[in-house]
Amino acid sequence: TKQAVYIKLERAELCFQLRFRRVFCFKNWRKRIPLCVLIGFFYRFDVFFEKKCQSKPEALPHGVNEERSAITFCAEKYDKFLLVINCGSAIDMAFAEEIPGINAILYLCQLGMECGHAFADVISGAVTPSGKLSDTWARKYVDIPFANEYSYLNGNLEEEFYKEGIYVGYRYFDSFGVEPAYPFGFGLSYTDFTIRSAGIAAEGSRITAKASVTNSGSTYAGREVVQLYVSAPNGKLHKEYQSLAAFEKTNILAPGAAETVELNFDLKSLASYREDDASYVLEAGNYILRLGNSSRKTMVIGVLSLDQEIVVSRHCHVCPVQAPLDELKSQPYAFEKAAEGLPRLFLEASAIETVEYTYETPEICQDEAVQTFLNTLSLEEMVDIVVGIGMFGGETRFNLPGS
């Protein structure tokens, strides 16, 4: 049909073609420049389809070819084209580089009933986007460590070995130098920001970094998310290249306005577990502080130096590994040399007191009514109650959340 619905949206005229259902054509009231917006319901990474569809294109999930055709059509026909990604997880974004003419991409992540309001605010300019990705978007599925060994991909549906160890998300991509499509913490805005260090300080194990943030744009107000990462020294324990230690979001800053934010973290939170003595440890050496607005856009702002190893806490092996596990390990990192004049804080081991944890067998409930009820259950039925009957279906034994 040729039916269309026209809706006034701030300074825009929205033309909704019912036969496309997800294609929006905007025209600026003053310049009358057409803008096309396509909202796509995309599919997440799946190497099964990736392999299968190389030989059988018709095996693609229903709608994939239609989505790509619609994107290509809009990119060719409109000088200004905005693609909206409406999905709940990372997807293969290779098409964005393959199809010319996509001017901008907006990610809407399952916003529910408020999605339409949020979209209208952003597209009309009433609100400047300030969101950041909380995960890393790979260029292709096989860039993810052990991608081909997950679930049915290696043919073993009974056992799942998580060999990546600590190298998950940006910890893997940053540690092994794999270039992502969009890095952890990434997110654009209608304006630009300048981030500068305003000093670092330590009180015991509590570290504070101050950052001065300026809206360097000339038109739009907006907010920025400042992120603080720490690179631990090369030692005996395997560590990621950098770890997010703190983040802080500014208030709304008008063009030219500035704000100083504080980012705080406890150095003890960076301790790593050492299996040999069941302890969480901070190894001696230099801890490099990096300030920025994504894991791939940071600058070194200071160094924390530990004079010797610190044992943060001691534990017991309550759940020892039952079978050999070959986990991914990185090589020592070639950290850049700290520039002259950067602040350096020297921390002594005495600033952190070791905490000793003990584990005792809890007392068995002696309530007669409870024991009577438990005596009526088989071992399998007890497992269902502990795990949660809702996971596997079955009879609900009592009406409590999770039962």
Side-chain angles (χ1 to χ4, degrees):
T1 65
K2 297 291 185 179
Q3 293 178 334
V5 177
Y6 292 88
I7 304 172
K8 286 186 178 180
L9 177 63
E10 295 276 327
R11 294 182 179 178
E13 181 181 83
L14 171 62
C15 172
F16 178 31
Q17 299 288 346
L18 296 182
R19 59 195 179 98
F20 282 114
R21 312 204 79 181
R22 287 167 294 176
V23 177
F24 298 81
C25 305
F26 290 84
K27 291 184 179 180
N28 185 281
W29 280 91
R30 293 181 179 178
K31 297 183 179 180
R32 306 297 293 179
I33 299 174
L35 165 65
C36 180
V37 177
L38 186 145
I39 302 179
F41 299 87
F42 295 88
Y43 297 87
R44 40 181 220 174
F45 278 124
D46 198 320
V47 75
F48 172 76
F49 286 117
E50 182 178 309
K51 288 182 175 180
K52 190 174 182 179
C53 298
Q54 287 176 352
S55 57
K56 295 182 178 180
E58 67 276 6
L60 279 165
H62 176 70
V64 170
N65 285 324
E66 179 186 354
E67 294 276 14
R68 189 180 183 94
S69 297
I71 294 171
T72 303
F73 175 85
C74 293
E76 290 177 349
K77 302 300 181 182
Y78 289 87
D79 293 332
K80 295 182 179 295
F81 172 43
L82 168 64
L83 176 63
V84 181
I85 306 295
N86 185 4
C87 63
S89 62
I91 65 172
D92 188 340
M93 292 290 294
F95 68 87
E97 298 180 0
E98 298 168 357
I99 302 176
I102 301 176
N103 303 114
I105 299 174
L106 177 64
Y107 177 42
L108 295 178
C109 180
Q110 296 181 331
L111 301 182
M113 61 187 290
E114 290 300 316
C115 182
H117 294 145
F119 174 71
D121 286 342
V122 169
I123 199 67
S124 67
V127 170
T128 299
S130 60
K132 303 289 184 176
L133 289 178
S134 58
D135 52 9
T136 302
W137 285 39
R139 288 189 175 274
K140 51 186 181 295
Y141 178 80
V142 292
D143 286 345
I144 300 171
F146 305 103
N148 292 323
E149 296 189 24
Y150 177 70
S151 188
Y152 54 82
L153 297 177
N154 64 0
N156 185 355
L157 296 177
E158 300 297 325
E159 297 176 312
E160 200 68 59
F161 295 97
Y162 292 91
K163 299 180 181 180
E164 60 267 45
I166 65 172
Y167 301 103
V168 178
Y170 75 92
R171 291 177 173 84
Y172 169 77
F173 285 84
D174 294 351
S175 300
F176 289 84
V178 180
E179 189 67 26
Y182 303 103
F184 176 83
F186 174 81
L188 297 179
S189 170
Y190 291 155
T191 187
D192 295 311
F193 297 91
T194 301
I195 301 174
R196 294 186 177 89
S197 174
I200 60 174
E203 184 176 349
S205 63
R206 196 74 182 171
I207 311 300
T208 298
K210 293 184 179 181
S212 175
V213 185
T214 303
N215 183 344
S216 53
S218 59
T219 305
Y220 293 96
R223 305 177 70 186
E224 177 64 298
V225 179
V226 186
Q227 303 163 36
L228 181 66
Y229 297 83
V230 180
S231 294
N234 289 311
K236 295 181 181 179
L237 298 177
H238 286 275
K239 298 285 289 187
E240 61 271 49
Y241 175 78
Q242 61 183 359
S243 176
L244 179 68
F247 61 92
E248 191 67 40
K249 195 167 190 175
T250 68
N251 294 311
I252 299 177
L253 299 178
E259 179 184 350
T260 298
V261 297
E262 285 192 2
L263 299 96
N264 302 283
F265 71 96
D266 195 321
L267 187 61
K268 293 182 291 186
S269 65
L270 301 180
S272 294
Y273 187 71
R274 185 168 60 197
E275 294 185 35
D276 294 344
D277 57 354
S279 299
Y280 277 93
V281 176
L282 289 168
E283 294 187 290
N286 293 328
Y287 289 75
I288 303 172
L289 303 181
R290 305 176 186 275
L291 188 70
N293 61 3
S294 80
S295 73
R296 290 300 178 98
K297 191 176 181 180
T298 63
M299 57 183 173
V300 178
I301 63 167
V303 178
L304 306 176
S305 294
L306 295 185
D307 59 348
Q308 65 185 68
E309 175 185 284
I310 299 177
V311 177
V312 175
S313 58
R314 291 192 179 93
H315 306 258
C316 297
H317 291 303
V318 176
C319 297
V321 178
Q322 301 297 314
L325 182 60
D326 184 21
E327 289 187 329
L328 183 63
K329 296 178 176 61
S330 68
Q331 297 297 319
Y333 306 114
F335 294 124
E336 66 272 47
K337 185 178 180 180
E340 294 292 334
L342 279 178
R344 182 184 293 266
L345 302 179
F346 295 90
L347 304 180
E348 297 182 356
S350 58
I352 298 177
E353 183 179 352
T354 302
V355 178
E356 303 281 350
Y357 288 93
T358 58
Y359 304 87
E360 300 177 355
T361 302
E363 294 184 6
I364 298 176
C365 178
Q366 301 298 328
D367 188 283
E368 184 176 345
V370 172
Q371 193 60 49
T372 300
F373 171 71
L374 293 176
N375 290 338
T376 66
L377 303 177
S378 66
L379 181 60
E380 290 75 13
E381 290 171 332
M382 292 181 185
V383 170
D384 285 342
I385 292 177
V386 172
V387 174
I389 196 68
M391 293 182 62
F392 308 105
E395 180 183 353
T396 300
R397 304 188 181 281
F398 43 82
N399 292 321
L400 289 176
S403 64

